[in-house]
Amino acid sequence: MFAKIKLISLLPLLSIPALHLASCTTIGVPAAQAKSSQTVNLAEGQVLQLIAPEARPDGQQARQAYYQSAFPIAESLGYERHAQLNVRQKVASDYDPGAFLFFSWPGEKAAEDFAQHPDWPTLKATRPQAWSELKIYNKTLEDDLSLEFHASKHYSVVIAWFNPEKPGDYDKYLNGIEPAVERAGGRFIYKMRNPSFEAHASPLEGPDQITFVEWETTDGFATVQGSDEYKAHAKYFGSGLKKFEFYWLKSQ
């Protein structure tokens, strides 16, 4: 029921003017220099880490202490930051992250070595002082991955939890609307399937898929909703998901 109600309400929400981009203090991540494009180029076997932070207003000091202590350890093991997509509009979600950030580990062993570092349990325990929530999704890549995010374009992300009774319906929906997405100036750029999930304030029920779409304009999805493909396949969105989150993003 949740999915069907939200699905009907998406079209008017998409016409809301774009929100002002959150500041780094609100996002709760170290400041990064704005660029015309950001790239993520990873090889098979590397671990892609996607982080969606919701900063505590009173947690800036705790965040800085965390960065100064945890990042040097992680970076000594090959941990890298690649890109940041700021949340411009929360369309359908009870969660309110400031951004989606792309990091990577050289491989599973590096991530495991970090988790085994003697200082890590103490550092990890400080996260609730810095963030109301810190959702982290990890995926060991089965193929090479190349992404490029442009400041002139727009991005959407849907985080989806499948209906276990009809787990294939969401793919039917995405595959069915893809021609309409392409005509509207959009393209599917990455689907993170079955990521591992980590959080400190949410139920540890990870999503089945995280889907990123690049758009030429913010009204691209509204155009898709008027298409014959969408009308024929929207039912699979409702039947295929038990819940979802939907955000509009912008490359910083």
Side-chain angles (χ1 to χ4, degrees):
M1 180 62 70
F2 172 81
K4 293 179 180 178
I5 292 173
K6 290 295 185 182
L7 181 65
I8 293 171
S9 67
L10 289 181
L11 184 57
L13 281 171
L14 287 168
S15 65
I16 297 175
L19 303 180
H20 180 70
L21 292 179
S23 68
C24 287
T25 300
T26 303
I27 293 171
V29 296
Q33 184 177 1
K35 300 178 181 179
S36 59
S37 65
Q38 304 178 83
T39 58
V40 180
N41 292 305
L42 301 176
E44 175 187 353
Q46 289 191 259
V47 178
L48 173 63
Q49 185 173 88
L50 181 67
I51 301 179
E54 183 178 342
R56 286 176 60 105
D58 60 350
Q60 185 172 3
Q61 185 173 350
R63 288 192 295 275
Q64 291 302 321
Y66 180 88
Y67 302 142
Q68 292 169 5
S69 300
F71 272 53
I73 299 172
E75 289 169 350
S76 72
L77 296 167
Y79 190 63
E80 291 188 53
R81 173 177 178 157
H82 300 283
Q84 174 175 324
L85 297 178
N86 293 331
V87 175
R88 295 191 70 173
Q89 186 180 348
K90 182 179 70 172
V91 179
S93 179
D94 295 326
Y95 186 53
D96 196 17
F100 285 79
L101 299 107
F102 294 76
F103 290 84
S104 71
W105 294 101
E108 292 180 359
K109 185 179 184 304
E112 292 168 0
D113 288 346
F114 178 73
Q116 296 300 317
H117 192 280
D119 293 344
W120 176 234
T122 301
L123 291 170
K124 185 177 181 180
T126 67
R127 283 177 172 175
Q129 301 168 33
W131 294 277
S132 302
E133 180 59 290
L134 191 66
K135 294 188 177 183
I136 302 174
Y137 310 90
N138 291 291
K139 180 67 178 180
T140 301
L141 297 177
E142 299 174 356
D143 300 290
D144 295 349
L145 176 65
S146 181
L147 300 172
E148 186 169 7
F149 302 113
H150 301 272
S152 61
K153 297 189 178 181
H154 308 270
Y155 299 87
S156 63
V157 61
V158 174
I159 304 174
W161 288 258
F162 295 170
N163 175 1
E165 297 180 358
K166 296 184 177 180
D169 278 13
Y170 187 57
D171 272 343
K172 289 182 183 178
Y173 164 75
L174 293 181
N175 293 335
I177 68 169
E178 187 166 8
V181 169
E182 292 177 352
R183 290 198 307 272
R187 64 187 184 98
F188 293 98
I189 58 173
Y190 180 57
K191 297 174 183 177
M192 178 185 274
R193 302 180 189 272
N194 300 310
S196 64
F197 176 62
E198 182 181 349
H200 65 254
S202 302
L204 292 180
E205 181 189 9
D208 294 285
Q209 185 165 302
I210 303 175
T211 304
F212 288 89
V213 185
E214 180 182 85
W215 302 90
E216 294 294 334
T217 64
T218 55
D219 62 359
F221 184 63
T223 301
V224 171
Q225 286 183 299
S227 70
D228 291 339
E229 290 94 337
Y230 180 85
K231 293 172 185 177
H233 293 89
K235 60 185 177 183
Y236 296 119
F237 184 98
S239 63
L241 300 183
K242 62 180 181 180
K243 64 176 181 176
F244 72 99
E245 299 173 4
F246 184 2
Y247 307 90
W248 276 106
L249 312 172
K250 185 69 174 175
S251 179
Q252 68 166 23

